[in-house]
Amino acid sequence: MIQLHYYPSNASMAPHILLEELGVPFELALVDRTRDAHKSPEYLKLNPNGLIPVLVHDELVLYETAAICLHLADTNGKASLAPAFGTPQRAHFYKWLMWLTNTLQPALLLYFYPERWVTPGHDQAAVGVKAMAEARIGAMLDQLNGEIASQGGPWLMGVQYTALDPFLLMLCRWTRDFSRPARNLPVLGAYLRRVLERPAVQRAFATEKLAKPWV
């Protein structure tokens, strides 16, 4: 049995959607961040970083969202959630997965937690970090808008829906309260609406009890 340790609207959202997409048996284990459950001794045995999510599959204990998504795609190849091994498309799939987790996601964390990057008590500096992060994210959203427009298909990889799409939906959702959220970009906004129409996405959002608007 697969068990996903999650918290609503957290970085566990992408693997949650993938599990719904795959249709494999799984169970959710809520990690209550409001009670610091992700810092409990029991949870730290699963992920010593104290971060969500963690996937437990038989003897395998795996953390890091991108790693979990890649594992789910690779172990359920018939679902075609990643391009074939050794192809140029697979190389671009890796590129975008790394970009999402190493470029866009860290910038979003700077936006939401700017105080982590300044000396304690320097509130004005944190305001500056937050503003700079939002500006950098805006440029990244423009890049995505252009990339999807150039693909000639409905998804980030073009005609093939992959594990990248729920990952990107998750990160774009985090911009929903920005002055210029992802949904406001013409191509990216239409793309997000297509992803939201997928039944697996709607099931995951309903299970996590997320209020609309979803992005």
Side-chain angles (χ1 to χ4, degrees):
M1 172 65 75
I2 296 174
Q3 183 183 60
L4 179 68
H5 295 254
Y6 87 109
Y7 187 79
S9 197
N10 208 270
S12 52
M13 176 180 287
H16 184 185
I17 293 171
L18 283 180
L19 286 166
E20 290 285 0
E21 196 78 46
L22 291 167
V24 296
F26 73 96
E27 62 182 25
L28 296 172
L30 178 66
V31 183
D32 192 349
R33 291 190 60 184
T34 66
R35 299 186 178 186
D36 288 334
H38 57 307
K39 304 299 182 183
S40 68
E42 294 78 14
Y43 190 77
L44 291 174
K45 290 179 182 178
L46 299 174
N47 185 351
N49 302 296
L51 299 173
I52 301 167
V54 167
L55 184 86
V56 179
H57 187 186
D58 299 329
E59 300 301 315
L60 174 67
V61 177
L62 188 64
Y63 49 85
E64 295 296 331
T65 301
I68 293 171
C69 290
L70 187 56
H71 170 71
L72 290 173
D74 284 348
T75 52
N76 296 274
K78 291 182 179 179
S80 299
L81 288 171
F85 287 106
T87 62
Q89 291 79 12
R90 183 73 176 205
H92 285 295
F93 173 85
Y94 289 141
K95 175 192 72 179
W96 282 111
L97 183 61
M98 297 308 107
W99 188 88
L100 291 172
T101 192
N102 289 336
T103 302
L104 179 54
Q105 189 170 354
L108 285 159
L109 294 178
L110 275 173
Y111 174 86
F112 286 110
Y113 304 105
E115 70 281 356
R116 295 178 180 177
W117 304 97
V118 301
T119 304
H122 287 65
D123 295 342
Q124 196 57 42
V127 171
V129 170
K130 188 180 184 78
M132 182 61 70
E134 185 170 3
R136 291 185 64 185
I137 293 162
M140 295 174 197
L141 296 179
D142 285 331
Q143 180 182 351
L144 286 163
N145 194 73
E147 176 66 23
I148 294 168
S150 72
Q151 284 295 329
W155 313 117
L156 181 55
M157 291 292 294
V159 297
Q160 183 180 3
Y161 182 86
T162 71
L164 298 175
D165 296 302
F167 205 125
L168 179 53
L169 171 68
M170 175 183 74
L171 298 183
C172 286
R173 172 180 157 77
W174 296 352
T175 74
R176 64 192 181 279
D177 293 325
F178 281 28
S179 58
R180 181 174 173 261
R183 67 176 179 271
N184 283 3
L185 279 73
V187 178
L188 186 55
Y191 160 85
L192 293 172
R193 290 190 290 274
R194 287 193 294 274
V195 181
L196 286 171
E197 289 173 357
R198 295 184 72 89
V201 174
Q202 296 186 18
R203 288 195 300 271
F205 276 46
T207 300
E208 296 193 14
K209 296 181 173 60
L210 302 179
K212 292 184 177 180
W214 284 336
V215 295

